[in-house]
């Protein structure tokens, strides 16, 4: 992906389905609330039990989501381009429910809780769209996990 700074972030946002309902002005406004970071392999983005205040959109590379268990760490998901992790931290004040580790060199967009609160205050329409996309994302993940549990029965 070519470009630098906010222009590059705008171009990335336009390629991620999470933002499919955003018009150009909304993409522009939202891009100003994000930061872009390169992250090396084996970096722990956050650990299970930590308090969080940000989410990541994966731009390049991939991450692994793990839950601690008594005998070993269980991988529950692997996410790549366009997917997000850490979204529950924007919705509640509870500890992280899983550990997320970068499994190949990656590039991530970061949205902090402070910036999300700014979005809601300054542009409620965008805030509603983001919360709606987060709800849809969490719903799809919940439905997927329900299917996995049914297979165990």
């Amino acid at each position: 992906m070519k470009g630098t700074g906010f222009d590059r972030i705008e171009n990335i946002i336009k390629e991620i389905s999470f933002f499919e309902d955003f018009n150009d002005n909304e993409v522009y406004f939202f891009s100003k609330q994000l930061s872009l970071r390169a992250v090396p392999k084996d970096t722990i983005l956050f650990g299970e039990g930590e308090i969080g205040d940000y989410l990541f959109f994966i731009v390049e590379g991939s991450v692994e989501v793990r839950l601690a268990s008594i005998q070993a760490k269980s991988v529950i998901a692997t996410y790549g381009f366009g997917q997000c992790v850490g979204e529950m931290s924007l919705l509640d004040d509870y500890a992280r429910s899983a550990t997320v580790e970068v499994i190949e060199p990656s590039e991530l967009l970061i949205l902090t809780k402070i910036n999300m609160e700014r979005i809601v205050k300054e542009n409620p329409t965008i805030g509603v769209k983001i919360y709606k996309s987060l709800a849809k994302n969490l719903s799809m993940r919940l439905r997927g996990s329900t299917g996995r549990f049914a297979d165990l029965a």
Side-chain angles (χ1 to χ4, degrees):
M1 292 182 200
K2 304 281 184 205
T4 58
F6 294 114
D7 290 339
R8 181 154 185 260
I9 291 174
E10 280 184 83
N11 291 332
I12 291 168
I13 291 171
K14 289 176 182 178
E15 295 180 21
I16 297 176
S17 63
F18 186 95
F19 305 104
E20 65 190 3
D21 294 332
F22 283 52
N23 64 40
D24 287 343
N25 290 333
E26 293 167 335
V27 168
Y28 175 80
F29 177 84
F30 186 67
S31 69
K32 304 297 184 197
Q33 310 306 317
L34 300 171
S35 58
L36 185 62
R37 182 187 309 164
V39 182
K41 180 182 177 182
D42 299 326
T43 300
I44 302 294
L45 295 178
F46 51 82
E48 185 175 348
E50 296 176 0
I51 300 298
D53 64 350
Y54 50 87
L55 72 78
F56 296 100
F57 292 98
I58 302 157
V59 175
E60 290 180 14
S62 57
V63 301
E64 191 172 78
V65 180
R66 298 189 313 256
L67 289 177
S69 68
I70 294 171
Q71 296 180 355
K73 295 179 180 177
S74 303
V75 175
I76 59 170
T78 302
Y79 296 120
F81 175 79
Q83 295 176 304
C84 65
V85 292
E87 63 272 36
M88 291 191 318
S89 70
L90 298 187
L91 303 173
D92 63 34
D93 294 319
Y94 297 109
R96 300 279 193 181
S97 60
T99 295
V100 175
E101 181 176 355
V102 176
I103 58 173
E104 63 181 301
S106 297
E107 195 167 31
L108 309 169
L109 285 173
I110 304 164
L111 175 61
T112 65
K113 191 171 199 169
I114 290 171
N115 283 356
M116 184 62 204
E117 290 167 355
R118 179 180 300 123
I119 291 167
V120 170
K121 182 178 179 182
E122 293 179 13
N123 197 324
T125 300
I126 294 176
V128 168
K129 286 183 176 185
I130 293 169
Y131 283 131
K132 183 177 177 184
S133 291
L134 288 173
K136 181 180 175 183
N137 194 48
L138 289 169
S139 174
M140 289 174 18
R141 288 184 183 172
L142 181 60
R143 289 176 191 276
S145 67
T146 302
R148 286 195 306 252
F149 288 129
D151 292 341
L152 296 175

